[in-house]
C-alpha cells in the first residue's frame, strides 16, 4: 500500500512526464534516387491523450535540414508552404501524408534506401519525442505529390 501511494503522489506532482507528449505512429520516409537533394517524410501525430501542443522542429538522423511543409493548391498548381510551428490540438490526430502535410528533408548527401530505418526526434512544446522511420519505395501514389 505504501509504495502505491507514493507512486500516485509522484504522478500527481509530475503530470507532464506521464501524459503530455504526443505519440508518433507510422513514421516513414520516401526512398530517393541517388543524387537527390530533397526527400519527404510522413507520420501520424497522436495527441488524443494530451493537452494542446505544437510541433516546433524535427530532426532526422543524417539529414542536414528538416522543415514542416503543407501542400496547397494555388491557381491549380500545387505549392508547398512552410508550416512551423505545427499546431497539434488536444484530442486530435495530425496526419502527415502524401499530398498534404509532410516533412521536407533538405540537403541530402546520401540516398534514402528503401528497407532501411532511421531515427528521428520531434521537438514539441511539451518535450522531445524520439521515433523510428522506415524508408519505403517511391512508387504508386507517392509520385503524385510531395
Ligand atoms: Cu515540401
Amino acid at each position: 500500500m505504501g509504495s502505491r501511494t507514493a507512486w500516485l503522489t509522484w504522478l500527481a506532482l509530475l503530470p507532464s512526464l506521464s501524459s503530455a507528449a504526443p505519440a508518433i505512429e507510422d513514421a516513414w520516409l520516401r526512398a530517393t534516387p541517388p543524387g537527390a537533394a530533397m526527400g519527404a517524410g510522413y507520420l501520424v501525430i497522436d495527441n488524443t491523450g494530451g493537452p494542446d501542443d505544437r510541433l516546433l522542429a524535427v530532426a532526422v538522423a543524417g539529414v542536414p535540414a528538416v522543415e514542416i511543409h503543407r501542400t496547397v493548391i494555388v491557381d491549380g498548381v500545387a505549392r508547398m508552404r512552410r508550416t512551423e510551428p505545427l499546431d497539434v490540438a488536444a484530442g486530435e490526430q495530425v496526419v502527415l501524408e502524401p499530398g498534404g502535410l509532410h516533412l521536407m528533408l533538405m540537403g541530402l548527401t546520401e540516398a534514402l534506401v528503401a528497407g532501411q530505418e532511421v531515427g528521428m526526434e520531434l521537438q514539441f512544446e511539451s518535450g522531445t519525442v524520439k521515433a523510428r522511420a522506415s524508408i519505403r519505395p517511391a512508387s504508386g501514389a507517392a509520385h503524385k505529390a510531395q
Side-chain angles (χ1 to χ4, degrees):
M1 279 303 281
S3 64
R4 178 177 166 81
T5 303
W7 172 245
L8 291 174
T9 302
W10 185 83
L11 280 181
L13 290 171
L14 296 168
S16 63
L17 287 183
S18 60
S19 64
I24 303 304
E25 297 164 2
D26 197 28
W28 64 283
L29 312 178
R30 187 187 305 159
T32 59
M38 304 234 275
Y42 310 97
L43 50 87
V44 176
I45 303 166
D46 185 340
N47 197 29
T48 51
D52 285 346
D53 209 335
R54 294 198 299 172
L55 178 57
L56 306 176
V58 180
V60 178
V63 177
V66 180
E67 294 181 356
I68 305 165
H69 284 185
R70 184 188 302 276
T71 300
V72 295
I73 306 298
V74 179
D75 296 331
V77 178
R79 295 177 183 277
M80 297 189 296
R81 298 246 169 90
R82 196 169 177 182
T83 308
E84 288 158 0
L86 178 65
D87 288 327
V88 182
E92 283 198 355
Q93 280 195 340
V94 176
V95 180
L96 284 70
E97 60 187 349
L101 285 166
H102 57 277
L103 303 178
M104 200 83 218
L105 314 180
M106 308 172 78
L108 297 178
T109 57
E110 290 182 25
L112 299 173
V113 178
Q116 295 187 346
E117 254 191 22
V118 295
M120 58 194 302
E121 281 193 3
L122 296 96
Q123 186 189 340
F124 292 92
E125 278 186 338
S126 62
T128 300
V129 177
K130 292 179 192 286
R132 303 285 297 173
S134 58
I135 301 175
R136 298 183 188 168
S139 61
H143 279 301
K144 287 179 184 169
Q146 293 290 347

